[in-house]
Amino acid sequence: MWVRLNINSGSSGPGRNYSMTSNQTRHEEGSTLIEIIIATVVFIVVLGLSLALAASFSKFGGEADADSAAQLDTHRTFARIESVLRQGWTPPVISADGESLQLDVLGYSWNATRQGWDRVDPATWRREYDLSQGTYYFVDGSGFALPVATCTLAWERLSTDPGSEDYHFGEITSTLSDTSGNSTTWTMASRIGTFELNEAGTSRLPGLSFTSHGQSVLVEMHLQRKSDAIPYSIRSSVKRRNYLEDAQ
């Protein structure tokens, strides 16, 4: 005996199928909307972090560039100071505040005709010893005593007012002079100074200072042109030599 069932007949069949399809579509649309919201939030968070990192790296790069420039300026200036100190003939006389020094240099004489300094070629110098005085002296290729001039290295503050910001910055100068009153000054470096404080935190460090150490001179330089820049310092002991090899 066969029984035939028509599952497509009746009013309930097609209605049931339509209802299931509609519910499934609304569920998929709801899932898609949540995914879009989550993706948008994640994108905004990632974008914000990326911008923050980019700003941080940019600031670090700027500080690194400033630090590099400070190092270059400091080492260039120190090399010039070191050259003079190593070539000095007499022990340097350091000022009470340590911001300048004087020493005699050989081979310089003032030329009144051209209003400038003449330089005796160091290759022609000869060092002699005076038995009666027990001292050394220098002569040129013709046997004449070398002329002597005084060289002054100084950190000259831009302002004399301690309350001014320019008081903590200055120019490093080199001045050549003789006993006749002739004098010429050159600027070795401009706006040298720092925002750094001393160890006690009571005052700002000077841009340049000298300290006597027997046959050597301790030179300290500090450079920081912006308060938020990385400060740079150099500290070195320079041993004196007995003659000046170069004019600059």
Side-chain angles (χ1 to χ4, degrees), residues 111-173:
N111 187 319
T113 301
R114 69 179 187 85
Q115 294 293 296
W117 294 92
D118 288 337
R119 174 67 168 159
V120 179
D121 185 0
T124 67
W125 295 4
R126 296 201 315 270
R127 189 174 70 168
E128 305 288 349
Y129 185 75
D130 187 339
L131 291 174
S132 62
Q133 300 293 327
T135 58
Y136 287 99
Y137 64 97
F138 280 89
V139 297
D140 60 18
S142 301
F144 294 102
L146 289 175
V148 178
T150 299
C151 183
T152 301
L153 296 175
W155 180 57
E156 300 182 353
R157 296 178 183 267
L158 298 178
S159 173
T160 57
D161 179 12
S164 170
E165 189 61 41
D166 285 341
Y167 178 80
H168 303 286
F169 292 86
E171 294 184 339
I172 297 179
T173 61

Side-chain angles (χ1 to χ4, degrees), residues 49-61:
L49 292 175
S50 300
L51 292 175
L53 288 174
S56 176
F57 286 138
S58 177
K59 181 179 179 182
F60 174 79

Side-chain angles (χ1 to χ4, degrees), residues 79-92:
R80 295 171 180 171
I81 295 173
E82 182 183 37
S83 176
V84 175
L85 293 177
R86 289 190 183 280
Q87 299 158 358
W89 171 241
T90 58

Side-chain angles (χ1 to χ4, degrees), residues 175-215:
T175 302
L176 200 62
S177 59
D178 61 15
T179 55
S180 299
N182 301 300
S183 179
T184 304
T185 299
W186 296 271
T187 299
M188 303 176 74
S190 299
R191 199 163 183 78
I192 301 298
T194 184
F195 291 87
E196 284 188 278
L197 300 177
N198 58 15
E199 293 183 357
T202 56
S203 61
R204 294 260 284 271
L205 293 171
L208 175 67
S209 63
F210 302 99
T211 306
S212 179
H213 277 252
Q215 291 296 317

